[in-house]
Amino acid sequence: MPLLVMKFGGTSVADLDRIKNAALKVQREVERGYDVIVIVSAMSGKTNELVGWVEATSPLFDAREYDAVVASGENVTAGLMALTLQELGVPARSWQGWQVPINTTSQHSAARFVSIPRQNIDQKFAEGMRVAVVAGFQGLGSDNRITTLGRGGSDTTAVAFAAAFGAERCDIYTDVDGVYTTDPRITSKARKLKKIAFEEMLELASLGAKVLQTRSVELAMRYKVRLRVLSSFEETDENSGTLVCDEDEIMESKVVNGVAYSREEAKITLVTVEDRPGISAAIFAPLAEAGVNVDMIVQNISEKDYEDHPGSVTDMTFSCPVNQVARARKAMEDAKAAGHIAYDDLVVDTEVAKVSVVGIGMRSHAGVAARMFKALADENINIKVISTSEIKISVLIDRKYMELAVQALHDAFELEKP
């Protein structure tokens, strides 16, 4: 039998009616001749509830017990989905991570896949099972303890199973009907894409688009797993949703395919840092150790022989999520106190946002940056920081102009047109 992987997120299985709706979609694929592996998330809101219980019980909790508690949400959904499919006459059973087993590292709450042996599930398929309902987000560590993969881990579980079992496709059912050129809540001109390349989706996911978890796209790109993003709440067919696939499957790509944004950004500047070999390592190593996710980095041209600073000095600017500013500030102050770096001031701007344009067509087209900057200039939006890659240009701007910037860039690159 050909094999399909279907993943249902928390909103898709939020109650028994939605589980029944998801089960009917699985039943249709079985009737089309597929064996199906279904990956389920916890029911909407359940993970937050479980996390709250853990934190209320033990503020300095044991990460191993945290995983044991939090993973239970997916176990409940898997059992309910299997029961619902059985009621529909579909031979199905549920699988917890340790039963497969999904072997992971023992880094609790942030585990990585090691292997997914096929024999247990393959044996049950051979015995007549048509659907394996697997609890997402969880695995079994080398210490024989339950592990979890971090938020969004069920997407990654689905892609990992599709790769391990050679699935024809991995369908991700969620509360949106595909991947759009930008957030439809910001501009009504946003258009649903029929296809998008892995690299573009990876950039959009990492830049703030919430449709797919970044690690799941990385895994899909590595193993060439064809992903389809679909709505759980609409009737679907083979042409529904958005296909995330290899660039070779896309006949002709637009120069820019999407505009992404991240609202909760902060800009930090170290003023008058000594400009010498090793200064970047002295700054960013402590930030990494503190778990600060540094994104955009700009080092100004050196100014020589300030009256108070003989020799070369510069300013170093970087961005990070707003909720990591306190950690970043402490890491820099500790490094300064230890004598590893010296600076006159640490300036923080927490009222910025990142806006990015993404497209594989940038590789072969010049002038994208100029077009982007002109569109922002026409709206009198000042750019604070710029970073680029082969298929992406990102800018940091005042947060109050974020939605205006997204709309302007969407219009400038005519993304409403197919």
Side-chain angles (χ1 to χ4, degrees):
M1 293 279 187
L3 183 75
L4 197 65
V5 172
M6 303 173 71
K7 182 264 177 178
F8 293 94
T11 54
S12 305
V13 291
D15 53 39
L16 294 180
D17 287 339
R18 290 188 178 183
I19 290 174
K20 176 73 176 291
N21 177 62
L24 289 169
K25 293 181 182 297
V26 177
Q27 182 187 37
R28 281 196 288 273
E29 297 299 348
V30 171
E31 290 170 349
R32 289 173 181 155
Y34 287 102
D35 282 339
V36 181
I37 296 175
V38 175
I39 309 296
V40 291
S41 297
M43 299 165 80
S44 183
K46 181 57 67 176
T47 299
N48 287 340
E49 182 182 37
L50 293 169
V51 170
W53 289 350
V54 170
E55 292 176 342
T57 303
S58 176
L60 298 174
F61 53 76
D62 181 338
R64 296 165 297 185
E65 301 304 341
Y66 171 94
D67 278 0
V69 173
V70 175
S72 67
E74 280 70 18
N75 297 342
V76 172
T77 312
L80 291 172
M81 176 66 80
L83 285 170
T84 305
L85 286 164
Q86 290 170 11
E87 287 297 304
L88 293 172
V90 179
R93 65 154 282 188
S94 65
W95 299 78
Q96 296 179 16
W98 64 270
Q99 293 173 304
V100 176
I102 303 171
N103 296 312
T104 73
T105 62
S106 292
Q107 188 178 358
H108 288 276
S109 79
R112 298 268 174 171
F113 291 108
V114 174
S115 65
I116 302 177
R118 294 181 48 162
Q119 52 265 36
N120 289 341
I121 288 180
D122 278 344
Q123 181 180 339
K124 291 301 179 183
F125 276 135
E127 293 172 2
M129 177 185 73
R130 297 300 306 278
V131 179
V133 185
V134 179
F137 175 64
Q138 64 179 251
L140 187 68
S142 57
D143 56 358
N144 245 22
R145 298 293 299 263
I146 292 169
T147 58
T148 62
L149 308 174
R151 287 304 179 97
S154 292
D155 283 354
T156 311
T157 304
V159 174
F161 269 83
F165 284 80
E168 185 175 300
R169 193 179 64 246
C170 178
D171 288 347
I172 305 289
Y173 285 86
T174 182
D175 53 1
V176 296
D177 61 349
V179 180
Y180 280 73
T181 49
T182 196
D183 189 339
R185 294 170 298 182
I186 288 184
T187 173
S188 60
K189 295 180 182 179
R191 175 176 55 87
K192 188 176 72 175
L193 298 165
K194 289 185 177 180
K195 291 183 179 181
I196 186 170
F198 288 126
E199 289 177 86
E200 291 173 318
M201 190 67 244
L202 184 59
E203 290 284 10
L204 290 172
S206 67
L207 292 168
K210 306 297 185 186
V211 180
L212 287 172
Q213 200 252 10
T214 306
R215 278 172 60 194
S216 70
V217 183
E218 289 174 346
L219 207 59
M221 185 164 65
R222 185 186 310 166
Y223 292 102
K224 306 297 185 188
V225 173
R226 300 169 83 244
L227 285 174
R228 194 167 59 144
V229 179
L230 300 147
S231 171
S232 297
F233 310 117
E234 296 180 2
E235 290 299 316
T236 57
D237 57 31
E238 61 274 10
N239 296 314
S240 300
T242 299
L243 183 67
V244 186
C245 57
D246 195 74
E247 186 179 340
D248 294 342
E249 289 193 51
I250 301 174
M251 291 292 291
E252 187 71 33
S253 179
K254 292 175 72 96
V255 178
V256 168
N257 248 341
V259 180
Y261 66 88
S262 177
R263 191 186 305 270
E264 301 301 320
E265 297 287 325
K267 178 170 72 79
I268 299 176
T269 301
L270 299 178
V271 180
T272 58
V273 177
E274 184 183 1
D275 190 9
R276 58 173 172 79
I279 189 62
S280 295
I283 292 170
F284 294 107
L287 291 168
E289 290 169 8
V292 177
N293 183 21
V294 173
D295 181 20
M296 307 166 83
I297 301 172
V298 173
Q299 180 176 342
N300 292 344
I301 297 172
S302 294
E303 295 286 349
K304 295 184 181 295
D305 296 328
Y306 271 97
E307 183 178 339
D308 297 334
H309 293 276
S312 299
V313 293
T314 185
D315 295 343
M316 185 75 79
T317 298
F318 60 90
S319 68
C320 70
V322 166
N323 61 8
Q324 295 178 8
V325 166
R327 263 187 280 168
R329 185 191 296 274
K330 185 176 187 306
M332 294 296 89
E333 289 173 349
D334 289 350
K336 182 178 182 180
H340 301 312
I341 58 174
Y343 56 86
D344 281 356
D345 197 8
L346 189 152
V347 180
V348 177
D349 183 355
T350 58
E351 296 297 324
V352 295
K354 179 172 61 178
V355 178
S356 311
V357 296
V358 175
I360 54 176
M362 288 188 198
R363 291 189 183 125
S364 54
H365 288 80
V368 178
R371 192 170 172 184
M372 178 182 188
F373 301 155
K374 183 178 186 306
L376 296 175
D378 288 346
E379 298 294 342
N380 203 30
I381 298 172
N382 186 45
I383 297 171
K384 296 174 177 288
V385 181
I386 302 168
S387 72
T388 64
S389 74
E390 193 178 23
I391 65 167
K392 172 202 73 179
I393 303 171
S394 295
V395 295
L396 217 57
I397 61 173
D398 285 329
R399 188 176 300 150
K400 62 184 178 182
Y401 296 123
M402 187 197 75
E403 294 192 5
L404 176 60
V406 170
Q407 293 165 353
L409 293 172
H410 198 276
D411 289 345
F413 290 99
E414 301 181 322
L415 297 185
E416 72 279 4
K417 298 180 181 178

